[in-house]
Amino acid sequence: MTAPDALPLLFLDVDGPLIPFGPRADGHRTYPQVPLSPGVGTHPLLARIDPALGPLLAALPCELVWATTWADEANTVVSPRLGLPELDVVAWPESPEQEERDVRAGLHWKTRTLVDRAAGRPFVWVDDEITATDRRWVAARHIGPALLHRVDPAAGLTGAGLQQIGAWLRAV
């Protein structure tokens, strides 16, 4: 059971939404790097993280949660580049049999865990791998409102996408 005044959750993936990848005719924009501790964040695509997204994400009326395979590394490597505080991180269960069944059914391996983590709270899921199957599954099994926002991985999370997410969050 969640508190009635609990903010909606925003589950945020890194690769695709924050680190654009894939072919682009004009290439990918890069940004100056934030100095970090030596040895932290040597991923070659980290320069693609737009630091302007951090304040925009922080201003949304929600609780930001990392929903990425980066796990805790998102807090040590990605958060500082965005100027975000340390965020909660979704713990992915070790259940290869269930994951295999979900994938065979066309369900993203994150979907079940995110619905469980939301526990009825309104949530937004920002990812580049969301499908119609995920949308149907969430609609059938999540008792609260949910917005599954698919990002084009070549473009990443855009201003227009953030506006759509913000409008949805304010309407919930």
Side-chain angles (χ1 to χ4, degrees):
M1 189 63 137
T2 45
D5 59 345
L7 287 172
L9 298 164
L10 190 151
F11 295 120
L12 186 59
D13 186 29
V14 171
D15 295 312
L18 300 178
I19 301 177
F21 64 88
R24 281 183 63 125
D26 57 349
H28 290 281
R29 182 169 178 194
T30 59
Y31 301 88
Q33 295 294 290
V34 174
L36 298 173
S37 303
V40 172
T42 57
H43 190 287
L45 302 182
L46 287 172
R48 294 181 182 177
I49 295 176
D50 180 354
L53 290 174
L56 298 172
L57 287 163
L60 292 171
C62 63
E63 179 185 334
L64 297 172
V65 179
W66 291 120
T68 174
T69 57
W70 283 69
D72 290 322
E73 199 173 10
N75 279 318
T76 58
V77 176
V78 180
S79 283
R81 286 176 163 74
L82 294 167
L84 292 174
E86 187 171 305
L87 306 177
D88 279 344
V89 178
V90 173
W92 306 114
E94 295 281 335
S95 54
E97 297 85 15
Q98 182 63 56
E99 184 178 323
E100 186 178 319
R101 284 192 299 273
D102 287 347
V103 170
R104 275 198 313 267
L107 191 65
H108 193 284
W109 62 270
K110 293 179 183 178
T111 308
R112 184 181 301 274
T113 300
L114 296 180
V115 168
D116 288 348
R117 173 73 185 263
R121 275 171 79 176
F123 76 88
V124 177
W125 175 21
V126 178
D127 205 303
D128 61 306
E129 297 180 336
I130 295 168
T131 67
T133 302
D134 300 304
R135 292 178 202 287
R136 286 189 300 272
W137 198 91
V138 170
R141 290 167 179 82
H142 181 64
I143 61 171
L147 172 65
L148 279 62
H149 183 81
R150 187 184 183 286
V151 172
D152 174 357
L157 185 57
T158 64
L162 282 166
Q163 286 178 349
Q164 179 187 5
I165 292 165
W168 187 89
L169 286 166
R170 286 185 290 281
V172 174

